[in-house]
Amino acid sequence: VYTPCTDIFLTRRIICDSLDKKPETVTVEGCFPGDDLDGKLWYPALVAAQAAAAANIIQKPVQILYSHQEDSNFSPKRAPATFRIASSLNTSGNITAIDASIDIDMGSYPVGAELILERLFHQLASRYRVPAIQIEGRVISTNTPPLGFFDGWGDAAANFAVETHFNRIAQITDIDPATFRMNALVRSGKKLGLGGLQRSAPEPTRALEAVIKASDFTRKHAAYELQRKNREKNPVAGENTRGIGIAYA
């Protein structure tokens, strides 16, 4: 069996389970997976099992080749996730604790759910200094086709959730969002939220400092924020607005 699946051992196991074959009777060889590696993590193993079943029945070679449109229509896509994050702050505006929950729709079969949850947990708690953190994750099975990986393991969704949450905190506390992140980032040699040490070299704050300086973020954000507050007091219909944002991933 030739397959673009990146896990040939998973492919062999699925084929053996589907056809009641012994592992030593099935040979699986990987071929060029193409550019989209996320879509080749597990789904091609099912297609390979279908081809193997057909070949076993008709006793002839069978090739199943999806067009780009078919691959887009029928292969699994990223599992949607809902994030709920609540934070407590001290009088200085620093985060003292985070309580987060994640609900993931994995479709009819939760393939790779543990790996996705692990990545989401890591992204929520790996960059910023939080004395106490609690994260609850739930995998929900629905009547949709199996979902899973597509252009990543959900890191971007988790990053977007936590960065949006921190922007909201900075706005409520009236702290510059860049300054808020500079104060909250875990420094090299310090403990991460889920254990372990931050071993980044150079210091994680250096990249953020470079972005702040290159974009003139502090001055521009202060100006745009003042305009935003003025618009809230005196809204003008049809007015074009501008702004600037910053995130750390």
Side-chain angles (χ1 to χ4, degrees):
V1 178
Y2 298 89
T3 176
C5 185
T6 55
D7 191 339
I8 59 175
F9 299 102
L10 170 66
T11 303
R12 185 174 68 173
R13 186 168 70 250
I14 291 177
I15 292 173
C16 291
D17 291 343
S18 302
L19 304 181
D20 194 23
K21 299 285 187 180
K22 294 182 179 179
E24 57 269 20
T25 65
V26 177
T27 300
V28 178
E29 294 189 18
C31 56
F32 180 63
D35 297 328
D36 184 11
L37 297 179
D38 299 326
K40 308 299 189 298
L41 289 173
W42 66 269
Y43 184 71
L46 301 183
V47 179
Q50 294 171 352
N56 187 59
I57 293 173
I58 66 175
Q59 295 297 305
K60 292 182 179 181
V62 172
Q63 181 185 49
I64 299 179
L65 183 63
Y66 283 8
S67 67
H68 178 75
Q69 187 63 44
E70 290 172 332
D71 183 40
S72 177
N73 290 342
F74 305 116
S75 63
K77 301 300 181 287
R78 178 185 298 167
T82 300
F83 298 83
R84 299 176 181 85
I85 308 175
S87 296
S88 63
L89 312 174
N90 58 21
T91 54
S92 300
N94 297 320
I95 295 178
T96 58
I98 284 181
D99 183 10
S101 65
I102 308 171
D103 292 338
I104 309 176
D105 177 3
M106 293 295 295
S108 53
Y109 295 96
V111 179
E114 296 85 357
L115 297 176
I116 295 178
L117 273 179
E118 182 181 356
R119 292 299 304 171
L120 295 180
F121 285 4
H122 178 77
Q123 290 300 318
L124 284 180
S126 63
R127 296 185 303 279
Y128 295 106
R129 185 175 63 255
V130 181
I133 185 167
Q134 174 177 279
I135 306 176
E136 178 186 15
R138 297 191 304 173
V139 175
I140 302 173
S141 296
T142 60
N143 62 346
T144 59
L147 299 167
F149 320 99
F150 187 77
D151 288 341
W153 300 68
D155 301 44
N159 288 337
F160 183 83
V162 72
E163 293 297 316
T164 301
H165 178 68
F166 281 5
N167 280 338
R168 178 60 176 156
I169 293 176
Q171 184 179 14
I172 292 174
T173 56
D174 202 23
I175 300 176
D176 176 82
T179 302
F180 181 85
R181 285 169 171 79
M182 289 290 292
N183 294 336
L185 279 174
V186 177
R187 269 48 174 186
S188 294
K190 299 299 182 179
K191 188 177 181 180
L192 297 169
L194 298 182
L197 297 177
Q198 173 64 273
R199 302 182 183 276
S200 297
E203 189 71 35
T205 55
R206 287 184 58 184
L208 189 57
E209 290 171 347
V211 171
I212 294 171
K213 182 178 179 180
S215 63
D216 193 15
F217 179 85
T218 302
R219 182 190 66 82
K220 290 181 180 179
H221 179 268
Y224 290 139
E225 187 68 6
L226 180 59
Q227 293 176 8
R228 183 187 66 81
K229 292 179 179 179
N230 290 335
R231 286 195 302 270
E232 289 181 350
K233 296 179 181 179
N234 303 292
V236 177
E239 180 184 13
N240 293 325
T241 59
R242 299 183 66 182
I244 188 171
I246 193 168
Y248 188 93

